[in-house]
Amino acid sequence: MVKSKEWNWEIVNGDNANIWLEASVESYYLLSRWKKQGKKTFLDLGCGLGRHTILFAKEGFNTKAYDLSKNAIERAKEYAKKEGLDVEFKIGDMLNLPYKDNSIDCILCINVISHTDTEGMKKIISELKRVLNKDGECYLTLGSKETWGFKREEWPLVDKNTRIRMDDGPEKGIPHFYADYPLIQELFKEFKIEKISHIEDFWEEKGKTYNSYHYHVLIRKN
Ligand SMILES: C[S@@+](CC[C@H](N)C(=O)[O-])C[C@H]1O[C@@H](n2cnc3c(N)ncnc32)[C@H](O)[C@@H]1O
């Protein structure tokens, strides 16, 4: 298994941090869905600067936030303090979650779970299964094999699904696992898969158009 490596949040400041402070579109749908289902305990897995931690804590969820980056946890903690919110923050690796079996109702894991290799992915999925309550749900995103990163042959291939990202930035040196539809079905076969979407995002940078593909997966523990 490759060694886990946190994001380098120290170089993400000012305007570059803004997108990580604005909650994602899907988080509002999940907030509404999980409130309707009567879910109470929420885990923001790989919370980063805490944009979803704050959203769920403000809505009354018993909120836990977990990340491998000390810098991210300190900044998210500060954010929660400023908002007057009570959140349980912990630093650590998603390969071993510091939570009891059957103790969490819902987990949000946006752009996090792919930061490992195939063996690590299987371990993380077993941890999700362990900590979720029966009927507990997890929404997660996975890099797609159709995205540009998987096609960068100069980035070291760790196993048939995983490359180490080598361009400068907060993800330098971090493993990236890429999936396709059959692989997702296999990985999550012990869960009920509620929904799988394959989403293409576009952005402009210095006059050039870029795109990337991710799978968004909603799973429920049987
Ligand atoms: C792209 S950021 C996303 C942050 C947050 N989920 C959001 O949507 O704003 C990925 C986060 O995953 C964390 N991370 C990467 N590998 C991890 C691991 N093995 N265990 C826990 N967190 C990890 C990084 O430190 C980083 O904060």
Side-chain angles (χ1 to χ4, degrees), residues 75-92:
R75 288 162 72 177
K77 216 183 243 181
E78 200 50 43
Y79 189 4
K81 193 171 153 202
K82 213 172 79 202
E83 298 286 336
L85 296 167
D86 184 19
V87 174
E88 180 192 298
F89 287 99
K90 285 192 175 162
I91 299 171

Side-chain angles (χ1 to χ4, degrees), residues 97-104 126-134 221:
L97 298 179
Y99 308 109
K100 290 195 182 122
D101 299 1
N102 310 305
S103 62
I104 294 170
S126 74
E127 281 293 85
L128 294 176
K129 187 167 173 228
R130 183 182 67 73
V131 302
L132 274 173
N133 283 319
K134 182 177 178 316
K221 180 169 160 179

Side-chain angles (χ1 to χ4, degrees), residues 36-48:
K36 256 190 237 154
Q37 290 178 355
K39 304 234 179 306
K40 304 257 180 305
T41 311
F42 167 76
L43 170 62
D44 191 1
L45 181 54
C47 63

Side-chain angles (χ1 to χ4, degrees), residues 6-12 20-21 44 46-51 53 65-80 89-91:
E6 74 279 17
W7 255 45
N8 181 3
W9 281 106
E10 265 143 59
I11 62 169
V12 185
W20 298 108
L21 292 167
D44 191 1
C47 63
L49 301 186
R51 56 185 179 150
T53 310
Y66 189 63
D67 202 290
L68 190 53
S69 160
K70 187 167 172 271
N71 181 276
I73 289 288
E74 276 167 4
R75 288 162 72 177
K77 216 183 243 181
E78 200 50 43
Y79 189 4
F89 287 99
K90 285 192 175 162
I91 299 171

Side-chain angles (χ1 to χ4, degrees), residues 150-203:
F150 190 60
K151 296 174 184 162
R152 292 289 292 267
E153 287 181 4
E154 66 276 25
W155 290 358
L157 198 61
V158 176
D159 62 43
K160 65 181 189 255
N161 306 312
T162 315
R163 284 195 190 280
I164 303 289
R165 193 165 170 154
M166 295 312 290
D167 55 340
D168 283 338
E171 296 189 300
K172 189 170 184 180
I174 295 183
H176 279 63
F177 173 92
Y178 297 93
D180 55 23
Y181 184 66
L183 181 55
I184 292 173
Q185 285 184 308
E186 172 62 25
L187 286 169
F188 296 101
K189 62 177 186 254
E190 290 178 19
F191 291 82
K192 177 168 189 309
I193 299 178
E194 295 282 340
K195 191 172 168 54
I196 302 181
S197 313
H198 191 230
I199 295 178
E200 182 175 10
D201 290 301
F202 295 91
W203 69 98

Side-chain angles (χ1 to χ4, degrees), residues 4 7 9 20 46 48 51-52 67-68 92-94 110-111 115:
S4 298
W7 255 45
W9 281 106
W20 298 108
R51 56 185 179 150
H52 302 120
D67 202 290
L68 190 53
D93 193 332
M94 61 188 164
I110 301 266
N111 294 346
H115 294 328

